Amino acid sequence: MTVQESLQALGQWEIDLLPTIPREKLDALQYFGHIAIIRGRVDPLLYGDNLLRTARYVGVLRGNSLADDARTKIPNDNVKISGVGMAMWLGDEDDKGSIYENAVTAASASFADTIRMLLPASGAVTEGTLYPVTGQYSGTHQWQSPRAAIQYVCQTMSTTSVPVTWRVNGDGTLDAGPEANLFVTTPTCTVVAVGSGDDMAMRGVPGSLDLTSDVEDYTTRVVLLAEGEGTSIATGSADITPATSYKDIHGNTIKLTRLVSESDTASANAAVRAQLALSQYVAPKQDLRLNIQDYDVEGSFALGDYIYAYDPDKQLYNPNVEIVFRGQRLNPIKLQVTEISWGVTADYTVAYRTADGTWIDLTDHIQTSDAGTYVTVGGFDRALSSTGEVLGSRPNADTSTPGQPTFVTPFTGAAYLDSRGFTRARVVLSWNAPNNTDGSSVLDGDHYEIRYAVDTDMIYPASWASVSQVRWQDLQVWAQPFAAPAGQWQTMVVNWDTNTAQLQDLSPGVGYDIQIRGVDKTGNTGAWSSTTTFVASADNLPPSTPAAPTVAGSRIAVQITHQLGKSSGGTFNLESDLDHLEVHVSYEPTFTPDTTTLQGKVAATAGMIQAQIPVVYTVQVEETSARYVRVVAVDKTGNKSGPSDAATATALLIDDAHISDLTVSKVTAGQITASWVMAGEIKTADTGARARMSASGYELYNTAGTRTLFADATTGNVNIVGQLVSGTSGKRLEINPTGTFLPEMRFYPNTGTDYAFINGVTFGTDVSIGVQSSPFDDSGTTCASRLYLTASTARLEAIVLAGEARRGGYLWTAPGGLYGGFNRGGVEGGHLYADASIAIFGYDDGTDRNYFQYTSGTTRHIGRWRNYIAADSNEGIFTGTVTFTAVTAAVLSYGPTMDTTMIPIVTPRASNFGTATPTVWGVSASTTTGFTVSWNNNQTMNMSFWCYRV
């Protein structure tokens, strides 16, 4: 299972499903659903749509295959699903999508507003984060997909210093803006040929770097044909700066003019588009690929990020850039990751999301992959491109057909262990891009199709050992294991902008036929190339060194038991291509196994590992001195592991065939040492204190003959008369410690003699339960916390141990109501009360009462309000009365600055009421620090007020 991510392109993915996948899950995999691949094992049903943002990859399902391989005897053994990335919802490879059938026109619009206009009307992609971009955009878009239009806008508004780009996220949202806002533009990772590792701010990734360069697309001038027809065609042009240094055969400066047709480009944008087109061809085309097949790049960098690459032997360095990595000064080049190809291993969760948002876990039903990681990067002075495709639409119908690509041989490959522990082979293919059949350059290449099958010419020795990794159901007949591959090709698709691919899951040492052809964007398909035959890498991977065996010896034989585990630890974890174990025996503990020490071979297969069946083997060696045993693991191809550590055995066990008789004199009087004894009854005495074990169970009796313990063998019930103690000191539990309060459980701490308890007290037919903490000191008074549950009341309180008076807060509940409050030393404090008709909350110490009383439909306040002195900044309501002498206005300060402005309600009362009563008065100002009251005459005024905060 592999995933190929491409920057601002669809990419592709393919999943091989196991034939054992439940039918209901297979039927649920419908077109245009979504696959999410998440690092680690998670439950998709638990996380739901949150996985769309946290997944490493989200793709759209567009293809499935439920067919027979034609090489096996199992029906429907070729089950695949495949698809592309989320960019498809903006427009697919055929530019299908939510096409603008009505013109969308932007007139001096900002970048964000322009992108909003161009989002699909279908709602398939919604707005994510749109970052600001300097400048304004004007243009009309019609008969285009949103992907083409948004790409056009981003290219047009880009500058050399601020490239503009876009991406579609896993949840179907679009982010767009400067590259620095979407990707890592200051590298934190460098790819090096040697010396990889981690530094403080830089991670070094190991990998090989392959660089090719050519000037096939080199251009010195671009003339762009924009909107219009005939003589009214708008044009724009751009020339290379500085002038090219290349000369022709006569010493003249070369002139290579490229015509680009963009009929949808407005005349105002023609010059900008021409300069943009020229910028792609002003330097030799550089094609750089990084092979990081043994390293998972997740967490190091992602698609679109910039990384450093350094390999001076391949001219991959820049003297103007310098970094310090692991104490060495490097001059790497800065490149953007434009494509990543990686395999989905057993470390990932794979889930499918249906159209209605239902999640299905496919993790246990997929063929995982051990494919390596391949990274395509672009950079230098321009983005790398494997084709010279012109920007915009082509005015003429495409009738050209790609020619035949040619493979570059020999291929490179290696053997590896798959997730099941079987040895498989991989091979890396490379090829040269073709021209069209008419000799013209392929400007509209879309993808390559590669097909491969087992070679029928048998260029390799077709022994059974060489095909041991092939499943029985993949074979045809005994005389000819493989049949002709006609109509049985396995096919893979590779984007046109790459010329390498990796085949996985090949049978080691087996020959394969392979062909390739090109397909352009119009669907014109080239002819298959001639057949190239190669042999997959042979199985040269020995099994892991096995753990030391367990041995038992007698004077005539040694019995070896092995749990099929590795010497590094674990059991039943040796590789699945294991065939047998060699057993070697010697008298020396450090002997080297060879043919003279080999005592036998015992089968050890994948089936035994899967079923966890240990290997048991007996070696007939008649000896009484110590012997040492080592085992060697051998796989199906014959590769041998290193020898295990030695295990020793001495003749201690004699089987009964070698014992002629056994008399009582051979048993030591008073004791028997044995691993088992078969008897009907075992007891210490017939009467009095005794223990008895029989088929009924286990029994203990005291001196009076009373049974104090009985463990019933039939029911499992246990009856105990007496105390149950979990320890003699320290932290322990005691049950029924005394006869005073029964039953009772005591809980002791790590140290000391205090304890907490749970007990039951009987009153007639009722039982009360008490739960009490261990004693504690409260200002010289010994107290405890208690929960007391009776037949009529439940009480939670702190008490004084002497007399059980309340000591602080308490809560009592009963069928008739609830009462709580504070009582200390017989003095009441705050309290609350509630029953079916009334609720009271407040303060009542016996002399001063201040509380709220709530009944059905009414609220009462008993007591009085505090006269205002100074408020707290967060106080919600307060009152006050202040007298002002012979003034016409009064300013009252709250003291602190309140959190919000208060609303004052004021009532004035003149000292000479009736003769100088103000006729006009009111609040003239109010802030967070105070308020002002003014009236229309000069006199002494008594001011009463409420203030509340909203």
Side-chain angles (χ1 to χ4, degrees):
M1 173 178 175
T2 57
V3 175
Q4 182 176 337
E5 302 178 76
S6 298
L7 185 63
Q8 297 178 344
L10 272 63
Q12 62 184 0
W13 57 268
E14 183 177 77
I15 298 176
D16 291 322
L17 299 176
L18 297 173
T20 56
I21 181 173
R23 189 69 197 191
E24 61 273 14
K25 288 191 176 184
L26 186 62
D27 291 341
L29 303 180
Q30 300 297 317
Y31 295 131
F32 300 112
H34 293 80
I35 288 289
I37 303 173
I38 309 100
R39 165 70 72 176
R41 299 303 297 269
V42 299
D43 184 355
L45 296 179
L46 178 63
Y47 291 91
D49 284 354
N50 291 323
L51 297 178
L52 296 175
R53 288 293 286 184
T54 59
R56 178 177 181 181
Y57 181 81
V58 178
V60 184
L61 192 154
R62 296 201 310 180
N64 61 43
S65 172
L66 181 60
D68 291 338
D69 194 337
R71 302 169 186 267
T72 73
K73 304 301 182 182
I74 298 178
N76 297 332
D77 63 344
N78 187 7
V79 185
K80 299 176 184 289
I81 56 175
S82 59
V84 294
M86 293 295 288
M88 189 216 76
W89 292 120
L90 290 178
D92 65 10
E93 64 272 25
D94 298 325
D95 215 25
K96 299 193 304 293
S98 186
I99 299 296
Y100 309 123
E101 298 186 31
N102 298 315
V104 177
T105 301
S108 300
S110 67
F111 173 78
D113 288 341
T114 302
I115 297 300
R116 291 190 184 100
M117 295 179 191
L118 297 175
L119 288 173
S122 64
V125 177
T126 59
E127 179 180 340
T129 304
L130 302 180
Y131 298 94
V133 175
T134 302
Q136 296 177 322
Y137 176 80
S138 297
T140 299
H141 295 274
Q142 189 175 15
W143 313 119
Q144 281 183 304
S145 69
R147 185 160 72 100
I150 291 172
Q151 178 75 4
Y152 183 95
V153 172
C154 289
Q155 289 177 336
T156 303
M157 298 193 72
S158 293
T159 64
T160 303
S161 59
V162 184
V164 180
T165 187
W166 58 270
R167 70 182 176 203
V168 179
N169 301 309
D171 60 354
T173 58
L174 176 79
D175 296 343
E179 216 170 53
N181 293 112
L182 270 64
F183 306 117
V184 175
T185 55
T186 300
T188 59
C189 179
T190 181
V191 179
V192 292
V194 294
S196 62
D198 289 338
D199 206 343
M200 293 182 61
M202 184 69 62
R203 170 169 291 179
V205 176
S208 61
L209 301 88
D210 301 325
L211 174 67
T212 60
S213 177
D214 62 67
V215 292
E216 294 177 3
D217 295 326
Y218 185 72
T219 301
T220 62
R221 175 177 170 81
V222 165
V223 176
L224 184 135
L225 307 181
E227 62 184 356
E229 297 180 356
T231 58
S232 63
I233 294 177
T235 62
S237 62
D239 292 283
I240 190 171
T241 302
T244 180
S245 59
Y246 296 112
K247 307 293 184 180
D248 62 22
I249 194 171
H250 299 294
N252 303 310
T253 300
I254 66 171
K255 184 175 183 180
L256 299 172
T257 301
R258 179 183 295 270
L259 291 178
V260 178
S261 174
E262 288 187 357
S263 59
D264 293 331
T265 294
S267 58
N269 295 328
V272 174
R273 298 294 296 177
Q275 185 62 53
L276 178 63
L278 177 64
S279 66
Q280 300 186 66
Y281 308 110
V282 295
K285 187 183 72 174
Q286 308 278 4
D287 195 2
L288 178 62
R289 287 175 177 80
L290 312 178
N291 179 358
I292 316 177
Q293 57 183 335
D294 295 324
Y295 188 91
D296 190 348
V297 301
E298 184 182 10
S300 300
F301 56 83
L303 189 70
D305 291 347
Y306 281 81
I307 63 173
Y308 285 132
Y310 182 66
D311 191 345
D313 294 337
K314 295 180 179 177
Q315 303 300 309
L316 297 178
Y317 67 92
N318 183 352
N320 297 320
V321 176
E322 182 177 279
I323 64 172
V324 177
F325 176 66
R326 305 188 78 181
Q328 295 185 352
R329 296 186 181 275
L330 308 180
N331 301 101
I333 58 174
K334 178 181 175 181
L335 306 169
Q336 187 177 29
V337 178
T338 57
E339 185 176 290
I340 302 177
S341 177
W342 49 279
V344 179
T345 66
D347 297 328
Y348 286 90
T349 296
V350 179
Y352 173 79
R353 183 185 186 275
T354 64
D356 62 0
T358 301
W359 286 87
I360 300 172
D361 193 349
L362 300 179
T363 309
D364 295 330
H365 309 295
I366 67 170
Q367 293 275 13
T368 57
S369 171
D370 292 326
T373 301
Y374 285 85
V375 178
T376 300
V377 293
F380 298 106
D381 296 327
R382 63 182 178 87
L384 291 181
S385 175
S386 64
T387 71
E389 181 178 356
V390 295
L391 301 174
S393 59
R394 295 172 57 124
N396 299 318
D398 180 14
T399 59
S400 61
T401 301
Q404 294 181 351
T406 56
F407 282 115
V408 178
T409 57
F411 303 142
T412 60
Y416 68 95
L417 289 175
D418 65 12
S419 59
R420 299 173 300 164
F422 289 103
T423 303
R424 311 301 290 162
R426 66 165 65 96
V427 65
V428 178
L429 312 172
S430 62
W431 59 88
N432 293 321
N435 290 326
N436 287 315
T437 53
D438 59 7
S440 62
S441 297
V442 179
L443 304 178
D444 59 346
D446 184 75
H447 66 271
Y448 296 100
E449 293 179 357
I450 300 173
R451 65 181 184 181
Y452 60 97
V454 174
D455 173 52
T456 57
D457 295 331
M458 299 302 177
I459 66 169
Y460 54 90
S463 64
W464 285 110
S466 66
V467 296
S468 60
Q469 294 296 319
V470 182
R471 299 176 301 173
W472 278 104
Q473 57 264 36
D474 294 334
L475 305 179
Q476 303 298 320
V477 296
W478 184 270
Q480 186 179 11
F482 302 108
Q488 302 171 20
W489 296 93
Q490 299 290 320
T491 304
M492 68 181 299
V493 177
V494 181
N495 285 348
W496 188 270
D497 54 1
T498 185
N499 62 354
T500 62
Q502 184 174 199
L503 299 182
Q504 298 280 345
D505 203 31
L506 303 178
S507 297
V510 173
Y512 287 87
D513 294 336
I514 189 166
Q515 296 177 335
I516 186 172
R517 67 179 178 184
V519 181
D520 64 20
K521 295 184 180 299
T522 312
N524 298 319
T525 303
W528 289 106
S529 69
S530 58
T531 300
T532 299
T533 302
F534 67 92
V535 178
S537 299
D539 180 5
N540 56 3
L541 302 177
S544 300
T545 300
T550 301
V551 297
S554 72
R555 69 178 304 277
I556 61 171
V558 173
Q559 185 181 73
I560 296 96
T561 303
H562 201 278
Q563 301 289 327
L564 298 180
K566 299 178 181 178
S567 61
S568 57
T571 60
F572 302 103
N573 59 358
L574 286 172
E575 289 73 14
S576 297
D577 63 346
L578 187 66
D579 184 75
H580 64 272
L581 297 179
E582 290 185 353
V583 179
H584 294 262
V585 181
S586 180
Y587 304 102
E588 296 294 333
T590 59
F591 74 95
T592 299
D594 56 25
T595 55
T596 62
T597 61
L598 179 62
Q599 294 297 324
K601 300 178 181 180
V602 56
T605 63
M608 298 173 67
I609 295 174
Q610 184 176 4
Q612 298 194 351
I613 300 173
V615 170
V616 179
Y617 185 64
T618 300
V619 178
Q620 300 300 321
V621 179
E622 185 169 2
E623 188 59 66
T624 58
S625 60
R627 281 147 293 172
Y628 298 90
V629 181
R630 307 180 80 175
V631 296
V632 175
V634 184
D635 65 18
K636 294 180 179 180
T637 311
N639 298 311
K640 294 185 179 182
S641 72
S644 71
D645 291 339
T648 184
T650 305
L652 299 176
L653 303 179
I654 302 297
D655 51 72
D656 57 6
H658 293 81
I659 300 178
S660 60
D661 62 342
L662 180 64
T663 65
V664 175
S665 62
K666 296 181 180 179
V667 180
T668 302
Q671 66 179 17
I672 297 177
T673 301
S675 60
W676 56 266
V677 175
M678 183 71 73
E681 181 180 32
I682 299 177
K683 58 184 177 180
T684 60
D686 291 325
T687 60
R690 64 189 184 275
R692 176 176 179 266
M693 184 168 61
S694 66
S696 298
Y698 187 77
E699 302 168 81
L700 297 178
Y701 294 82
N702 61 17
T703 56
T706 301
R707 188 167 66 180
T708 57
L709 182 144
F710 177 53
D712 194 317
T714 302
T715 64
N717 296 335
V718 178
N719 297 323
I720 300 176
V721 177
Q723 299 181 21
L724 179 62
V725 181
S726 66
T728 59
S729 63
K731 181 172 60 178
R732 65 191 185 276
L733 172 68
E734 293 186 2
I735 299 178
N736 292 344
T738 68
T740 304
F741 297 105
L742 291 177
E744 180 170 296
M745 298 175 60
R746 293 182 180 178
F747 303 86
Y748 286 85
N750 290 331
T751 59
T753 59
D754 290 341
Y755 58 87
F757 63 81
I758 302 173
N759 64 16
V761 181
T762 301
F763 299 97
T765 60
D766 296 326
V767 176
S768 298
I769 295 295
V771 180
Q772 185 167 305
S773 72
S774 60
F776 62 88
D777 179 76
D778 180 32
S779 302
T781 301
T782 304
C783 303
S785 300
R786 178 174 70 176
L787 175 64
Y788 190 35
L789 307 178
T790 71
S792 60
T793 307
R795 299 168 57 177
L796 176 63
E797 56 195 352
I799 62 171
V800 178
L801 282 184
E804 300 186 354
R806 287 171 289 174
R807 185 75 172 184
Y810 63 92
L811 183 67
W812 295 354
T813 66
L818 176 145
Y819 195 83
F822 180 88
N823 185 297
R824 187 181 181 94
V827 179
E828 293 284 348
H831 79 285
L832 60 89
Y833 175 80
D835 60 23
S837 61
I838 192 170
I840 297 174
F841 177 78
Y843 177 83
D844 186 356
D845 63 359
T847 59
D848 190 6
R849 306 173 68 198
N850 193 18
Y851 58 82
F852 281 95
Q853 177 178 300
Y854 306 92
T855 59
S856 176
T858 63
T859 301
R860 298 180 60 200
H861 174 248
I862 308 299
R864 56 201 180 100
W865 290 89
R866 177 178 71 95
N867 191 22
Y868 166 80
I869 297 176
D872 292 330
S873 63
N874 60 355
E875 196 160 349
I877 185 170
F878 57 88
T879 67
T881 299
V882 183
T883 300
F884 298 94
T885 303
V887 293
T888 60
V891 178
L892 187 66
S893 172
Y894 300 135
T897 299
M898 306 302 287
D899 292 346
T900 58
T901 302
M902 305 297 294
I903 306 298
I905 302 175
V906 182
T907 300
R909 186 178 72 252
S911 60
N912 52 349
F913 183 76
T915 60
T917 301
T919 58
V920 179
W921 63 274
V923 177
S924 58
S926 178
T927 67
T928 57
T929 59
F931 65 91
T932 302
V933 181
S934 303
W935 53 91
N936 66 335
N937 53 9
N938 188 343
Q939 60 180 303
T940 300
M941 189 71 68
N942 183 274
M943 198 70 60
S944 298
F945 59 88
W946 288 79
C947 290
Y948 65 93
R949 187 161 56 87
V950 296

